[in-house]
Each structure stands twice: as structure tokens, then as C-alpha cells.
């Protein structure tokens, strides 16, 4: 402990800061954006997610993280915007799902595209 010029004590917390440093995971390689989904209301979301689980996730035993699905919606109408953010346990699972989802024909008017969140700006 040292005394500053104004008479207050300066406490050195550097040992605690280094011991308890929290590193944030800023790698979003485990998050996929699945685009060109049908624009649906909330009542059809579970049916769509069931189809995605069966056809895209199950073949590679992928399970989205708890609370890791976000389907943005129009605030006024409640209709989805046609894409989905989905988070998996790791980037390998996300890559495997992206491989299946990209080009997947959901129906005659919806061919999906999928890319990792980190590749979005590229």
C-alpha cells in the first residue's frame, strides 16, 4: 500500500486482478445464421423448429444450447423475418449443421442458406 500525494492510500489490486481475470469468449464461430426460412407467426414456430431439428440437427447429433435460438420478429405483426440465429456447443457442430443446412430445400419456395456468425461480414 502506498500513500498518494493527496493523502489517500493507493491499494495495489494487481495480484487479485490477475488471479481472478475473466476472459470473455468473443469467438462467435459456434453461432449459425440460417436464412431464407418461411416468414411465420408464433403459432407455427414450434412446427418449423421440429422440422429443423429432425432434418438439420439430428443427422449430426447437434443440440442447440439452452436458450440459444433466436428468431427475430417484426414488432408490429409478430411475423418472423425469415432467418434464425442458433448457438451450438462448439464450432465443429455448427460447421456440420451449416454443411447440411446450406442449400437444404425446405419446400418448393424455401432453399436455406447457412453461415457462421463470424463469416457474416465476409
Amino acid at each position: 500500500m502506498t500513500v498518494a500525494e493527496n493523502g489517500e492510500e493507493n491499494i495495489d489490486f494487481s495480484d487479485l486482478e490477475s488471479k481472478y481475470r475473466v476472459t470473455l469468449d468473443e469467438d462467435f464461430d459456434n453461432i449459425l445464421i440460417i436464412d431464407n426460412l418461411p416468414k411465420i407467426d408464433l403459432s407455427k414456430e414450434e412446427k418449423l423448429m421440429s422440422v429443423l431439428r429432425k432434418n438439420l440437427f439430428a443427422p449430426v447429433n447437434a443440440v442447440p444450447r439452452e436458450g440459444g435460438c433466436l428468431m427475430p420478429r417484426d414488432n408490429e405483426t409478430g411475423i418472423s423475418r425469415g432467418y434464425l440465429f442458433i448457438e451450438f456447443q462448439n464450432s465443429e457442430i455448427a460447421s456440420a449443421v451449416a454443411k447440411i443446412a446450406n442449400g437444404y430445400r425446405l419446400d418448393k419456395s424455401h432453399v436455406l442458406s447457412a453461415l457462421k456468425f463470424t463469416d457474416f461480414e465476409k
Side-chain angles (χ1 to χ4, degrees):
M1 199 165 29
T2 60
V3 178
E5 290 179 15
N6 63 2
E8 293 182 16
E9 295 178 0
N10 287 334
I11 301 172
D12 181 16
F13 291 108
S14 60
D15 60 330
L16 292 173
E17 289 171 348
S18 64
K19 182 176 180 181
Y20 295 105
R21 175 165 285 133
V22 175
T23 56
L24 299 175
D25 183 10
E26 294 181 8
D27 181 19
F28 299 112
D29 220 27
N30 63 326
I31 299 174
L32 287 183
I33 303 170
I34 300 178
D35 196 11
N36 202 29
L37 291 167
K39 295 180 180 180
I40 58 171
D41 63 28
L42 194 57
S43 67
K44 296 179 183 172
E45 184 174 333
E46 184 52 41
K47 183 176 181 181
L48 176 60
M49 290 305 298
S50 177
V51 169
L52 297 179
R53 279 191 293 272
K54 177 183 174 190
N55 297 307
L56 305 181
F57 311 157
V60 291
N61 296 320
V63 177
R65 280 196 170 169
E66 180 82 24
C69 293
L70 173 66
M71 187 178 297
R73 301 185 166 282
D74 181 278
N75 289 336
E76 291 181 18
T77 65
I79 302 296
S80 67
R81 297 189 182 267
Y83 58 92
L84 167 73
F85 296 97
I86 187 156
E87 182 180 8
F88 294 98
Q89 296 300 322
N90 58 51
S91 65
E92 291 79 20
I93 293 172
S95 294
V97 172
K99 200 176 219 181
I100 295 169
N102 202 26
Y104 181 82
R105 182 171 291 281
L106 191 61
D107 58 31
K108 64 182 177 181
S109 58
H110 295 95
V111 178
L112 306 181
S113 69
L115 71 150
K116 289 187 176 182
F117 189 80
T118 51
D119 295 335
F120 180 69
E121 289 187 5
K122 296 177 186 176

